[in-house]
Amino acid sequence: WYDLGQAYLQKGRFQIAKQCFQKALELDICPLRINTNLRSMLKHTADQQSVPYYDLQELAVKHSSFGITGSEFLIDHVHPTIRGHQIIGLELANLIRSHWLKPTGLADLDIQMNAAFEEHLNSIPDVYFLIGMERLKGLKAWTQGRADGAPIENHPGVQNGI
């Protein structure tokens, strides 16, 4: 379903691509993202307990091209990009402000937070990002069964193989 979604995405058939990606999510044998049923249960429980519900998948879709969560928001298929984390932080701050804090005259708080994000990013040495990209490359290889090194069954700590 994922590969079919990619094919439709390349052909510009975004709505059917989105449906294929959703089907892949629902049928994933080892899901790393929450499926529709669990999201519904979580939302229902939050409503029952009168707790604000913060739907990251909806937020990701809102900030992604064609309503398909992709590389604008996720560095891989699960983890947010730096900008994705910033968007989550801003939305969470707004949620906290709207539900638990008294209104303040800080209309430019989002501008101040974005300036703080930029200042922090500019303070990080380039090598940090290079190391992160290498780790991501290794993680992607691992998920595809192409990790470096001997198979686990050949590991010296494994007696009599697996």
Side-chain angles (χ1 to χ4, degrees), residues 3-60:
D3 289 338
L4 186 58
Q6 286 293 336
Y8 279 120
L9 193 61
Q10 289 177 9
K11 292 291 186 185
R13 304 209 34 213
F14 305 116
Q15 192 58 39
I16 194 162
K18 185 176 181 176
Q19 292 168 358
C20 290
F21 291 138
Q22 185 62 42
K23 186 83 168 177
L25 175 69
E26 300 301 325
L27 297 176
D28 194 344
I29 195 163
C30 183
L32 299 175
R33 289 167 55 183
I34 191 169
N35 65 29
T36 303
N37 188 41
L38 290 174
R39 279 176 69 207
S40 295
M41 289 172 37
L42 186 59
K43 171 79 171 113
H44 177 73
T45 301
D47 289 344
Q48 280 186 321
Q49 300 298 317
S50 299
V51 175
Y53 177 69
Y54 185 55
D55 191 329
L56 287 178
Q57 285 188 354
E58 282 182 16
L59 182 65

Side-chain angles (χ1 to χ4, degrees), residues 40-161:
S40 295
M41 289 172 37
L42 186 59
K43 171 79 171 113
H44 177 73
T45 301
D47 289 344
Q48 280 186 321
Q49 300 298 317
S50 299
V51 175
Y53 177 69
Y54 185 55
D55 191 329
L56 287 178
Q57 285 188 354
E58 282 182 16
L59 182 65
V61 165
K62 183 173 128 182
H63 290 275
S64 298
S65 299
F66 314 111
I68 299 171
T69 303
S71 60
E72 303 99 337
F73 200 85
L74 300 175
I75 191 90
D76 53 19
H77 62 286
V78 177
H79 302 95
T81 60
I82 291 173
R83 183 63 188 144
H85 279 290
Q86 291 172 343
I87 291 167
I88 291 167
L90 288 170
E91 290 291 322
L92 187 55
N94 287 328
L95 182 71
I96 291 168
R97 246 189 291 174
S98 68
H99 283 84
W100 293 292
L101 300 178
K102 293 179 183 177
T104 66
L106 299 175
D108 64 340
L109 189 57
D110 287 348
I111 294 168
Q112 291 175 1
M113 286 190 282
N114 278 316
F117 290 156
E118 187 173 339
E119 181 181 336
H120 178 70
L121 277 178
N122 290 334
S123 74
I124 299 172
D126 290 341
V127 71
Y128 173 85
F129 298 102
L130 292 173
I131 291 169
M133 292 310 292
E134 281 300 310
R135 288 184 178 170
L136 179 59
K137 185 175 145 186
L139 176 65
K140 285 182 176 179
W142 175 80
T143 63
Q144 297 165 358
R146 298 183 295 112
D148 290 336
I152 188 66
E153 58 268 13
N154 296 344
H155 191 278
V158 179
Q159 295 177 344
N160 301 327

